[in-house]
Protein backbone atom coordinates (compact mmCIF):
# COMPACT_ATOMS: atom_id res chain seq x y z
CA UNK A 1 0.00 0.00 0.00
CA UNK A 2 1.31 3.42 -0.85
CA UNK A 3 0.68 6.19 1.65
CA UNK A 4 -1.43 9.21 0.84
CA UNK A 5 1.43 11.55 -0.07
CA UNK A 6 3.06 9.02 -2.38
CA UNK A 7 -0.30 8.31 -3.99
CA UNK A 8 -0.87 12.00 -4.66
CA UNK A 9 2.61 12.36 -6.14
CA UNK A 10 2.03 9.39 -8.46
CA UNK A 11 -1.29 10.85 -9.50
CA UNK A 12 0.34 14.21 -10.31
CA UNK A 13 3.09 12.55 -12.33
CA UNK A 14 0.50 10.77 -14.47
CA UNK A 15 -1.44 14.00 -14.91
CA UNK A 16 1.59 16.13 -15.85
CA UNK A 17 2.98 13.58 -18.29
CA UNK A 18 -0.50 12.58 -19.51
CA UNK A 19 0.17 8.87 -18.99
CA UNK A 20 -2.05 6.20 -17.34
CA UNK A 21 -1.68 6.19 -13.56
CA UNK A 22 -0.92 2.45 -13.52
CA UNK A 23 2.31 3.15 -15.46
CA UNK A 24 3.68 5.04 -12.46
CA UNK A 25 5.14 2.96 -9.63
CA UNK A 26 7.04 3.91 -6.49
CA UNK A 27 10.12 2.37 -8.13
CA UNK A 28 9.89 4.37 -11.39
CA UNK A 29 12.69 6.65 -12.44
CA UNK A 30 11.86 9.84 -14.34
CA UNK A 31 13.77 8.42 -17.30
CA UNK A 32 11.59 5.29 -17.35
CA UNK A 33 8.49 7.46 -17.26
CA UNK A 34 9.80 9.60 -20.13
CA UNK A 35 10.04 12.69 -17.94
CA UNK A 36 12.82 14.98 -19.15
CA UNK A 37 14.21 17.96 -17.23
CA UNK A 38 11.44 20.27 -18.45
CA UNK A 39 8.69 17.80 -17.45
CA UNK A 40 10.38 17.57 -14.05
CA UNK A 41 10.14 21.36 -13.63
CA UNK A 42 6.45 21.22 -14.47
CA UNK A 43 5.93 18.37 -12.03
CA UNK A 44 7.75 20.05 -9.14
CA UNK A 45 5.80 23.22 -9.82
CA UNK A 46 2.54 21.26 -9.56
CA UNK A 47 3.71 19.58 -6.36
CA UNK A 48 4.69 22.92 -4.84
CA UNK A 49 1.19 24.18 -5.53
CA UNK A 50 -0.59 21.05 -4.32
CA UNK A 51 1.33 20.80 -1.03
CA UNK A 52 1.96 24.52 -0.58
CA UNK A 53 5.71 24.12 -0.32
CA UNK A 54 8.73 25.54 -2.09
CA UNK A 55 11.53 23.31 -3.37
CA UNK A 56 14.84 25.11 -3.96
CA UNK A 57 15.97 24.91 -7.62
CA UNK A 58 19.17 23.01 -6.91
CA UNK A 59 17.27 20.41 -4.88
CA UNK A 60 14.63 20.15 -7.63
CA UNK A 61 17.32 19.61 -10.25
CA UNK A 62 18.78 16.66 -8.35
CA UNK A 63 15.52 14.69 -8.23
CA UNK A 64 15.58 11.77 -10.66
CA UNK A 65 12.93 9.29 -9.46
CA UNK A 66 9.64 8.89 -7.62
CA UNK A 67 11.20 7.67 -4.37
CA UNK A 68 13.56 10.63 -4.18
CA UNK A 69 10.77 13.05 -5.01
CA UNK A 70 8.57 11.67 -2.22
CA UNK A 71 11.48 11.80 0.23
CA UNK A 72 12.19 15.43 -0.62
CA UNK A 73 8.54 16.31 -0.32
CA UNK A 74 8.14 14.62 3.07
CA UNK A 75 11.27 16.33 4.42
CA UNK A 76 10.04 19.66 3.08
CA UNK A 77 6.68 19.17 4.77
CA UNK A 78 8.46 18.78 8.09
CA UNK A 79 10.46 21.96 7.50
CA UNK A 80 13.67 20.56 6.02
CA UNK A 81 13.92 22.26 2.62
CA UNK A 82 17.50 21.31 1.80
CA UNK A 83 17.20 17.50 1.97
CA UNK A 84 17.89 16.01 -1.47
CA UNK A 85 16.80 12.46 -0.71
CA UNK A 86 20.13 10.90 -1.61
CA UNK B 1 -13.14 52.05 -15.28
CA UNK B 2 -15.06 54.73 -17.10
CA UNK B 3 -12.74 55.50 -19.96
CA UNK B 4 -14.40 57.74 -22.48
CA UNK B 5 -12.11 56.67 -25.29
CA UNK B 6 -10.98 53.11 -25.87
CA UNK B 7 -8.13 52.09 -28.16
CA UNK B 8 -7.92 49.37 -30.80
CA UNK B 9 -5.40 47.71 -33.05
CA UNK B 10 -6.35 48.91 -36.52
CA UNK B 11 -3.54 47.41 -38.63
CA UNK B 12 -0.77 44.85 -38.37
CA UNK B 13 2.42 44.27 -40.33
CA UNK B 14 5.33 41.89 -39.80
CA UNK B 15 8.71 41.23 -41.31
CA UNK B 16 11.38 38.56 -40.97
CA UNK B 17 14.67 38.49 -42.86
CA UNK B 18 14.68 35.88 -45.64
CA UNK B 19 17.74 33.85 -44.61
CA UNK B 20 16.96 30.65 -42.70
CA UNK B 21 18.94 28.95 -39.96
CA UNK B 22 17.57 25.42 -39.69
CA UNK B 23 18.14 22.76 -37.06
CA UNK B 24 20.24 20.92 -39.65
CA UNK B 25 22.46 24.02 -39.97
CA UNK B 26 22.85 24.14 -36.18
CA UNK B 27 23.80 20.46 -36.10
CA UNK B 28 26.87 21.47 -38.10
CA UNK B 29 27.70 24.36 -35.77
CA UNK B 30 27.29 22.88 -32.27
CA UNK B 31 26.81 19.48 -30.63
CA UNK B 32 23.03 19.22 -30.96
CA UNK B 33 20.34 17.38 -32.89
CA UNK B 34 17.15 18.24 -34.72
CA UNK B 35 15.39 15.78 -32.43
CA UNK B 36 16.62 17.43 -29.20
CA UNK B 37 15.72 20.92 -30.39
CA UNK B 38 12.25 19.88 -31.59
CA UNK B 39 11.46 17.92 -28.44
CA UNK B 40 12.71 20.54 -25.97
CA UNK B 41 11.61 23.69 -27.78
CA UNK B 42 9.40 22.92 -30.81
CA UNK B 43 11.67 25.00 -33.07
CA UNK B 44 12.50 23.87 -36.63
CA UNK B 45 14.08 27.00 -38.07
CA UNK B 46 14.73 30.69 -37.41
CA UNK B 47 15.15 33.67 -39.71
CA UNK B 48 18.49 35.44 -39.37
CA UNK B 49 19.63 38.78 -40.79
CA UNK B 50 22.56 39.23 -43.13
CA UNK B 51 25.46 41.34 -41.94
CA UNK B 52 24.61 45.03 -41.83
CA UNK B 53 20.87 44.50 -41.30
CA UNK B 54 19.75 45.87 -37.94
CA UNK B 55 16.61 46.03 -35.82
CA UNK B 56 15.48 49.33 -37.35
CA UNK B 57 15.44 47.72 -40.82
CA UNK B 58 13.09 44.98 -39.70
CA UNK B 59 10.98 47.47 -37.75
CA UNK B 60 10.64 49.77 -40.76
CA UNK B 61 9.59 46.94 -43.09
CA UNK B 62 6.97 45.75 -40.61
CA UNK B 63 5.72 49.30 -40.05
CA UNK B 64 5.42 50.00 -43.78
CA UNK B 65 3.16 46.96 -44.11
CA UNK B 66 0.97 48.07 -41.21
CA UNK B 67 0.62 51.59 -42.65
CA UNK B 68 -0.11 50.25 -46.13
CA UNK B 69 -2.79 47.95 -44.73
CA UNK B 70 -4.51 50.91 -43.10
CA UNK B 71 -3.92 53.06 -46.17
CA UNK B 72 -2.30 55.94 -44.31
CA UNK B 73 1.04 57.61 -44.76
CA UNK B 74 3.92 57.75 -42.30
CA UNK B 75 3.36 61.45 -41.77
CA UNK B 76 0.01 60.58 -40.13
CA UNK B 77 1.78 58.76 -37.28
CA UNK B 78 1.97 60.78 -34.06
CA UNK B 79 4.10 58.54 -31.85
CA UNK B 80 6.30 55.44 -32.14
CA UNK B 81 6.89 53.09 -29.21
CA UNK B 82 9.36 50.34 -29.96
CA UNK B 83 10.09 47.32 -27.79
CA UNK B 84 13.55 45.83 -28.28
CA UNK B 85 16.62 44.53 -26.46
CA UNK B 86 18.75 44.72 -29.58
CA UNK B 87 18.62 48.39 -30.56
CA UNK B 88 20.76 49.37 -33.55
CA UNK B 89 23.05 51.11 -31.05
CA UNK B 90 22.97 52.27 -27.43
CA UNK B 91 21.61 55.63 -28.53
CA UNK B 92 19.82 57.22 -30.25
CA UNK B 93 16.76 55.09 -29.65
CA UNK B 94 15.81 52.77 -32.49
CA UNK B 95 12.39 54.48 -32.45
CA UNK B 96 14.19 57.63 -33.66
CA UNK B 97 15.96 55.74 -36.44
CA UNK B 98 12.65 54.21 -37.49
CA UNK B 99 10.94 57.63 -37.40
CA UNK B 100 13.56 58.93 -39.82
CA UNK B 101 13.63 55.93 -42.18
CA UNK B 102 9.85 55.80 -42.31
CA UNK B 103 9.57 59.52 -42.89
CA UNK B 104 7.20 59.86 -39.93
CA UNK B 105 8.07 63.52 -39.59
CA UNK B 106 5.37 64.38 -37.08
CA UNK B 107 6.07 61.51 -34.68
CA UNK B 108 7.94 61.41 -31.38
CA UNK B 109 8.79 58.20 -29.59
CA UNK B 110 11.14 56.05 -27.58
CA UNK B 111 12.33 52.50 -27.03
CA UNK B 112 10.97 50.20 -24.36
CA UNK B 113 13.39 47.71 -22.87
CA UNK B 114 11.33 44.85 -21.47
CA UNK B 115 12.79 41.93 -23.43
CA UNK B 116 10.14 39.39 -24.42
CA UNK B 117 7.42 41.55 -22.85
CA UNK B 118 8.59 44.56 -24.87
CA UNK B 119 5.74 44.43 -27.35
CA UNK B 120 3.04 44.01 -24.71
CA UNK B 121 4.44 46.88 -22.65
CA UNK B 122 4.66 49.07 -25.76
CA UNK B 123 1.10 48.08 -26.64
CA UNK B 124 -0.24 49.35 -23.34
CA UNK B 125 1.85 52.51 -23.64
CA UNK B 126 0.36 53.15 -27.07
CA UNK B 127 -3.14 52.34 -25.86
CA UNK B 128 -2.88 54.81 -22.98
CA UNK B 129 -1.82 57.69 -25.24
CA UNK B 130 -4.85 57.02 -27.41
CA UNK B 131 -7.25 56.48 -24.50
CA UNK B 132 -6.12 59.73 -22.88
CA UNK B 133 -6.91 61.59 -26.08
CA UNK B 134 -3.31 62.71 -26.51
CA UNK B 135 -2.92 60.86 -29.83
CA UNK B 136 -5.06 59.28 -32.52
CA UNK B 137 -2.45 57.26 -34.42
CA UNK B 138 0.33 55.47 -32.58
CA UNK B 139 2.73 52.95 -34.06
CA UNK B 140 3.69 50.15 -31.67
CA UNK B 141 6.58 47.96 -32.72
CA UNK B 142 8.28 44.86 -31.36
CA UNK B 143 11.56 44.11 -33.12
CA UNK B 144 14.73 42.22 -32.34
CA UNK B 145 17.84 40.98 -34.07
CA UNK B 146 18.70 38.39 -31.46
CA UNK B 147 21.38 36.88 -33.73
CA UNK B 148 23.49 39.98 -32.94
CA UNK B 149 23.83 38.95 -29.28
CA UNK B 150 23.89 35.17 -29.54
CA UNK B 151 26.99 33.06 -29.04
CA UNK B 152 26.77 30.52 -31.85
CA UNK B 153 29.08 28.19 -29.96
CA UNK B 154 26.67 27.97 -26.98
CA UNK B 155 24.16 25.25 -27.79
CA UNK B 156 21.93 26.10 -24.84
CA UNK B 157 21.01 29.51 -26.28
CA UNK B 158 21.82 29.51 -30.01
CA UNK B 159 19.10 27.02 -30.86
CA UNK B 160 16.34 29.15 -29.36
CA UNK B 161 16.49 32.64 -30.79
CA UNK B 162 15.71 34.22 -34.16
CA UNK B 163 15.23 37.66 -35.72
CA UNK B 164 11.92 39.31 -36.57
CA UNK B 165 9.62 42.27 -36.16
CA UNK B 166 5.98 43.27 -36.03
CA UNK B 167 4.14 46.56 -35.90
CA UNK B 168 0.57 47.53 -35.09
CA UNK B 169 -1.27 50.79 -35.42
CA UNK B 170 -3.30 51.94 -32.41
CA UNK B 171 -6.30 54.20 -32.98
CA UNK B 172 -9.43 55.17 -31.03
CA UNK B 173 -12.10 52.45 -30.99
CA UNK B 174 -15.75 53.24 -31.64
CA UNK B 175 -17.18 50.05 -30.11
CA UNK B 176 -16.33 47.15 -27.80
CA UNK B 177 -13.83 45.65 -30.23
CA UNK B 178 -10.91 47.25 -28.47
CA UNK B 179 -7.97 46.78 -26.12
CA UNK B 180 -9.79 45.77 -22.94
CA UNK B 181 -7.21 45.40 -20.20
CA UNK B 182 -3.56 44.81 -19.33
CA UNK B 183 -1.76 43.34 -16.33
CA UNK B 184 2.01 43.64 -16.06
CA UNK B 185 4.45 42.58 -13.38
CA UNK B 186 8.18 42.80 -12.79
CA UNK B 187 10.32 40.58 -10.58
CA UNK B 188 13.71 42.22 -10.76
CA UNK B 189 15.28 39.53 -8.61
CA UNK B 190 15.20 37.34 -11.73
CA UNK B 191 17.57 39.66 -13.59
CA UNK B 192 20.47 37.30 -13.11
CA UNK B 193 18.67 34.41 -14.83
CA UNK B 194 18.64 36.00 -18.27
CA UNK B 195 20.79 38.90 -19.37
CA UNK B 196 23.56 40.33 -21.51
CA UNK B 197 26.07 41.42 -18.87
CA UNK B 198 28.32 43.81 -20.82
CA UNK B 199 28.00 46.83 -23.06
CA UNK B 200 26.21 48.96 -20.49
CA UNK B 201 27.55 51.28 -17.80
CA UNK B 202 28.36 48.44 -15.40
CA UNK B 203 30.64 46.57 -17.76
CA UNK B 204 31.50 48.86 -20.67
CA UNK B 205 32.99 47.09 -23.68
CA UNK B 206 36.61 46.14 -23.10
CA UNK B 207 39.00 43.44 -24.20
CA UNK B 208 38.12 41.64 -21.00
CA UNK B 209 34.34 41.71 -21.60
CA UNK B 210 34.94 40.42 -25.11
CA UNK B 211 37.24 37.65 -23.95
CA UNK B 212 34.69 36.61 -21.33
CA UNK B 213 31.88 36.57 -23.91
CA UNK B 214 29.90 39.07 -21.89
CA UNK B 215 28.26 40.62 -24.95
CA UNK B 216 26.11 37.56 -25.49
CA UNK B 217 22.86 36.27 -23.98
CA UNK B 218 23.48 34.44 -20.71
CA UNK B 219 20.65 32.27 -19.47
CA UNK B 220 19.72 29.89 -16.68
CA UNK B 221 17.28 27.99 -18.85
CA UNK B 222 15.57 26.03 -16.11
CA UNK B 223 15.03 29.03 -13.86
CA UNK B 224 13.49 30.92 -16.77
CA UNK B 225 11.37 27.94 -17.76
CA UNK B 226 9.95 27.53 -14.29
CA UNK B 227 9.18 31.20 -13.86
CA UNK B 228 7.59 31.38 -17.32
CA UNK B 229 5.37 28.36 -16.81
CA UNK B 230 4.10 29.77 -13.53
CA UNK B 231 3.64 33.37 -14.58
CA UNK B 232 2.15 32.93 -18.07
CA UNK B 233 -0.77 31.03 -16.57
CA UNK B 234 -1.06 33.18 -13.44
CA UNK B 235 -1.20 36.54 -15.18
CA UNK B 236 -3.51 35.19 -17.89
CA UNK B 237 -5.95 33.89 -15.31
CA UNK B 238 -5.83 37.20 -13.46
CA UNK B 239 -6.63 39.36 -16.47
CA UNK B 240 -9.46 37.04 -17.54
CA UNK B 241 -10.97 36.90 -14.07
CA UNK B 242 -10.75 40.64 -13.55
CA UNK B 243 -12.86 41.13 -16.67
CA UNK B 244 -15.41 38.43 -15.95
CA UNK B 245 -14.06 35.83 -18.38
CA UNK B 246 -12.70 32.30 -18.06
CA UNK B 247 -10.43 30.30 -20.36
CA UNK B 248 -13.55 29.03 -22.15
CA UNK B 249 -14.34 32.53 -23.45
CA UNK B 250 -10.96 32.93 -25.13
CA UNK B 251 -11.10 32.57 -28.91
CA UNK B 252 -7.36 32.87 -29.33
CA UNK B 253 -4.46 32.59 -26.90
CA UNK B 254 -1.42 34.39 -28.28
CA UNK B 255 1.50 33.50 -26.01
CA UNK B 256 5.03 34.79 -26.31
CA UNK B 257 6.85 32.13 -28.34
CA UNK B 258 9.76 31.21 -26.07
CA UNK B 259 9.38 27.46 -25.99
CA UNK B 260 6.52 25.24 -27.15
CA UNK B 261 6.74 23.36 -23.86
CA UNK B 262 6.17 26.59 -21.88
CA UNK B 263 3.21 27.42 -24.10
CA UNK B 264 1.61 24.00 -23.75
CA UNK B 265 1.91 23.82 -20.00
CA UNK B 266 0.51 27.34 -19.57
CA UNK B 267 -2.35 26.48 -21.91
CA UNK B 268 -3.02 23.28 -19.97
CA UNK B 269 -3.34 25.25 -16.76
CA UNK B 270 -5.74 27.65 -18.45
CA UNK B 271 -7.76 24.75 -19.82
CA UNK B 272 -7.17 25.82 -23.42
CA UNK B 273 -7.14 23.26 -26.21
CA UNK B 274 -4.63 23.43 -29.05
CA UNK B 275 -7.18 24.84 -31.52
CA UNK B 276 -7.33 28.02 -29.41
CA UNK B 277 -3.57 28.56 -29.25
CA UNK B 278 -1.26 30.12 -31.81
CA UNK B 279 2.09 28.41 -32.04
CA UNK B 280 4.53 29.46 -34.75
CA UNK B 281 7.77 29.00 -32.84
CA UNK B 282 8.57 26.16 -35.26
CA UNK B 283 8.98 28.74 -38.05
CA UNK B 284 10.61 31.67 -36.26
CA UNK B 285 12.15 30.57 -32.95
CA UNK B 286 12.05 33.13 -30.15
CA UNK B 287 12.23 36.59 -31.75
CA UNK B 288 11.88 38.31 -28.32
CA UNK B 289 9.79 41.47 -28.86
CA UNK B 290 8.73 40.24 -32.29
CA UNK B 291 6.88 37.08 -31.28
CA UNK B 292 3.42 38.46 -30.39
CA UNK B 293 2.79 40.43 -33.61
CA UNK B 294 4.28 37.57 -35.65
CA UNK B 295 1.90 35.17 -33.90
CA UNK B 296 -1.08 37.48 -34.53
CA UNK B 297 -0.10 37.55 -38.19
CA UNK B 298 0.14 33.76 -38.36
CA UNK B 299 -3.32 33.52 -36.80
CA UNK B 300 -4.68 35.90 -39.37
CA UNK B 301 -3.10 34.00 -42.26
CA UNK B 302 -4.63 30.79 -40.94
CA UNK B 303 -8.04 32.47 -40.82
CA UNK B 304 -8.13 32.16 -37.03
CA UNK B 305 -8.42 35.83 -36.13
CA UNK B 306 -11.80 37.38 -36.79
CA UNK B 307 -13.46 40.63 -35.87
CA UNK B 308 -14.85 40.44 -32.33
CA UNK B 309 -12.66 37.51 -31.25
CA UNK B 310 -11.53 37.61 -27.62
CA UNK B 311 -7.73 37.48 -27.76
CA UNK B 312 -5.52 36.80 -24.75
CA UNK B 313 -1.86 37.77 -25.02
CA UNK B 314 0.73 36.72 -22.45
CA UNK B 315 4.47 37.11 -22.14
CA UNK B 316 7.36 36.49 -19.78
CA UNK B 317 10.82 37.80 -20.43
CA UNK B 318 14.17 38.85 -19.05
CA UNK B 319 13.83 41.13 -16.06
CA UNK B 320 11.79 39.22 -15.18
CA UNK B 321 9.03 41.05 -16.99
CA UNK B 322 5.52 39.63 -17.19
CA UNK B 323 2.77 40.97 -19.41
CA UNK B 324 -0.80 40.17 -20.34
CA UNK B 325 -3.26 41.88 -22.63
CA UNK B 326 -6.90 41.17 -23.29
CA UNK B 327 -8.60 42.53 -26.39
CA UNK B 328 -11.32 42.04 -28.93
CA UNK B 329 -9.93 41.99 -32.44
CA UNK B 330 -11.31 45.03 -34.20
CA UNK B 331 -11.26 44.31 -37.93
C1 LIG C 1 16.91 26.18 -22.90
C2 LIG C 1 16.08 24.96 -22.59
C3 LIG C 1 15.40 24.44 -23.85
C4 LIG C 1 17.05 23.89 -22.10
O1 LIG C 1 16.34 22.75 -21.69
P1 LIG C 1 16.74 22.03 -20.34
O2 LIG C 1 15.98 20.78 -20.26
O3 LIG C 1 16.64 23.01 -19.25
O4 LIG C 1 18.22 21.69 -20.66
P2 LIG C 1 19.43 21.60 -19.64
O5 LIG C 1 20.19 22.85 -19.71
O6 LIG C 1 18.99 21.07 -18.32
O7 LIG C 1 20.19 20.50 -20.36
C5 LIG C 1 19.75 19.15 -20.43
C6 LIG C 1 20.78 18.38 -21.19
O8 LIG C 1 20.70 18.74 -22.58
C7 LIG C 1 21.92 19.27 -23.01
N1 LIG C 1 21.68 20.32 -23.98
C8 LIG C 1 21.51 21.64 -23.76
N2 LIG C 1 21.32 22.27 -24.92
C9 LIG C 1 21.37 21.35 -25.88
C10 LIG C 1 21.24 21.37 -27.28
N3 LIG C 1 21.02 22.49 -27.95
N4 LIG C 1 21.32 20.21 -27.95
C11 LIG C 1 21.54 19.06 -27.32
N5 LIG C 1 21.69 18.97 -25.99
C12 LIG C 1 21.60 20.10 -25.29
C13 LIG C 1 22.61 19.75 -21.76
O9 LIG C 1 24.00 19.82 -21.91
C14 LIG C 1 22.17 18.72 -20.75
O10 LIG C 1 22.93 17.57 -20.88
P3 LIG C 1 23.31 16.68 -19.59
O11 LIG C 1 22.00 16.26 -19.00
O12 LIG C 1 24.10 15.59 -20.17
O13 LIG C 1 24.08 17.61 -18.70
C15 LIG C 1 15.04 25.25 -21.51
O14 LIG C 1 15.66 25.40 -20.28
C16 LIG C 1 14.21 26.46 -21.82
O15 LIG C 1 13.54 26.55 -22.83
N6 LIG C 1 14.19 27.43 -20.90
C17 LIG C 1 13.46 28.66 -21.10
C18 LIG C 1 14.25 29.55 -21.99
C19 LIG C 1 13.46 30.68 -22.52
O16 LIG C 1 12.30 30.57 -22.77
N7 LIG C 1 14.14 31.80 -22.70
C20 LIG C 1 13.56 32.97 -23.22
C21 LIG C 1 12.66 33.57 -22.24
S1 LIG C 1 11.83 34.88 -22.88
Amino acid sequence: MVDEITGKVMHLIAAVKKIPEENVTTESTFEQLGLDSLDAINLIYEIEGEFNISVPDDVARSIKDVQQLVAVLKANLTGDTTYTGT
Amino acid sequence: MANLVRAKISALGTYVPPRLLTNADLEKMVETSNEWILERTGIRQRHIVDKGVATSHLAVEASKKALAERGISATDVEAIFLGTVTPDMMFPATACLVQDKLGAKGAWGFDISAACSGFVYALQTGAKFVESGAHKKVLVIGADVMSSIIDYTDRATCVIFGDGAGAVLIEPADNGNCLIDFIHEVDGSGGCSLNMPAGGSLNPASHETLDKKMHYVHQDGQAVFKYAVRKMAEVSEKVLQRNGFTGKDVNLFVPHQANKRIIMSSADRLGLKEDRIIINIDEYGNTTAGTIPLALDSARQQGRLKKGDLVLIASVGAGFTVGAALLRWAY
Side-chain angles (χ1 to χ4, degrees):
Chain A
M1 256 315 271
V2 295
D3 60 71
E4 192 188 335
I5 289 179
T6 310
K8 262 192 185 168
V9 166
M10 289 162 67
H11 171 78
L12 281 173
I13 292 174
V16 164
K17 193 60 193 165
K18 300 196 169 85
I19 51 176
E21 241 171 274
E22 56 269 26
N23 290 14
V24 186
T25 73
T26 50
E27 310 299 316
S28 308
T29 65
F30 286 0
E31 198 179 339
Q32 286 163 351
L33 296 169
L35 258 77
D36 66 17
S37 50
L38 301 181
D39 291 319
I41 296 173
N42 270 331
L43 173 62
I44 305 241
Y45 171 59
E46 288 296 337
I47 285 179
E48 287 176 328
E50 176 78 23
F51 293 93
N52 198 19
I53 58 164
S54 170
V55 181
D57 283 352
D58 50 336
V59 174
R61 271 169 219 206
S62 73
I63 301 172
K64 302 284 177 227
D65 56 46
V66 176
Q67 246 168 25
Q68 194 189 353
L69 174 58
V70 171
V72 166
L73 170 58
K74 286 182 176 169
N76 200 304
L77 285 168
T78 61
D80 180 356
T81 56
T82 54
Y83 182 64
T84 60
T86 51
Chain B
M1 275 192 297
N3 263 324
L4 290 180
V5 183
R6 305 308 303 259
K8 68 176 179 186
I9 294 175
S10 60
L12 164 68
T14 60
Y15 180 77
V16 289
R19 185 152 69 94
L20 291 178
L21 180 67
T22 64
N23 291 355
D25 296 330
L26 285 165
E27 281 177 350
K28 292 180 208 131
M29 295 159 65
V30 289
E31 184 71 36
T32 191
S33 66
N34 176 46
E35 194 189 11
W36 192 94
I37 301 172
L38 264 182
E39 200 177 293
R40 299 287 174 126
T41 70
I43 303 169
R44 289 177 190 280
Q45 61 175 40
R46 316 111 194 98
H47 291 251
I48 301 290
V49 297
D50 288 319
K51 202 170 173 348
V53 176
T55 296
S56 68
H57 298 102
L58 311 190
V60 165
E61 292 309 315
S63 301
K64 279 183 184 165
K65 288 190 195 172
L67 296 177
E69 181 179 293
R70 184 71 180 85
I72 63 169
S73 96
T75 50
D76 296 325
V77 175
E78 295 161 48
I80 299 171
F81 303 130
L82 186 147
T84 191
V85 287
T86 50
D88 287 25
M89 52 191 89
M90 284 287 281
F91 69 88
T94 303
C96 302
L97 305 175
V98 169
Q99 183 261 4
D100 179 49
K101 285 182 188 168
L102 262 185
K105 289 191 171 34
W108 68 289
F110 53 84
D111 289 358
I112 290 172
S113 177
C116 298
S117 301
F119 179 80
V120 192
Y121 285 16
L123 187 64
Q124 180 168 32
T125 309
K128 291 300 161 198
F129 276 97
V130 169
E131 288 168 4
S132 68
H135 293 308
K136 290 204 158 53
K137 286 186 172 54
V138 175
L139 202 53
V140 167
I141 306 168
D144 270 299
V145 174
M146 293 306 290
S147 61
S148 66
I149 55 168
I150 293 297
D151 175 3
Y152 283 98
T153 65
D154 173 16
R155 66 177 183 176
T157 51
C158 75
V159 301
I160 297 175
F161 293 97
D163 304 338
V168 297
L169 191 68
I170 311 290
E171 295 188 76
D174 40 26
N175 58 41
N177 292 335
C178 62
L179 293 156
I180 299 169
D181 198 8
F182 295 86
I183 294 183
H184 304 323
E185 285 177 27
V186 163
D187 179 355
S189 72
C192 52
S193 298
L194 182 53
N195 58 27
M196 184 176 94
S201 54
L202 181 62
N203 298 299
S206 67
H207 289 293
E208 193 193 349
T209 61
L210 278 180
D211 290 343
K212 290 186 172 164
K213 300 189 165 198
M214 288 164 73
H215 297 271
Y216 292 128
V217 170
H218 290 244
Q219 169 169 274
D220 177 349
Q222 298 206 359
V224 177
F225 187 92
K226 186 173 179 187
Y227 188 78
V229 161
R230 177 156 70 89
K231 278 295 170 180
M232 292 270 278
E234 218 177 85
V235 80
S236 296
E237 245 158 28
K238 232 189 211 173
V239 78
L240 286 172
Q241 211 170 41
R242 181 157 107 173
N243 291 278
F245 296 112
T246 71
K248 288 193 183 63
D249 301 306
V250 174
N251 298 104
L252 197 67
F253 178 45
V254 183
H256 167 55
Q257 311 279 314
N259 184 324
K260 188 174 177 184
R261 301 274 295 268
I262 295 176
I263 297 175
M264 294 316 291
S265 52
S266 330
D268 263 2
R269 295 201 167 86
L270 290 168
L272 292 170
K273 295 267 170 321
E274 215 161 335
D275 63 344
R276 298 285 171 94
I277 314 165
I278 279 295
I279 298 175
N280 66 2
I281 193 170
D282 51 326
E283 271 182 81
Y284 301 119
N286 180 351
T287 56
T288 304
T291 61
I292 303 279
L294 280 165
L296 285 168
D297 212 4
S298 291
R300 193 162 67 162
Q301 281 162 23
Q302 293 164 21
R304 293 171 62 192
L305 187 56
K306 293 178 292 299
K307 190 172 176 171
D309 277 355
L310 187 68
V311 178
L312 171 67
I313 293 173
S315 67
V316 167
F320 291 123
T321 57
V322 182
L326 192 64
L327 60 104
R328 283 203 186 276
W329 194 247
Y331 67 103

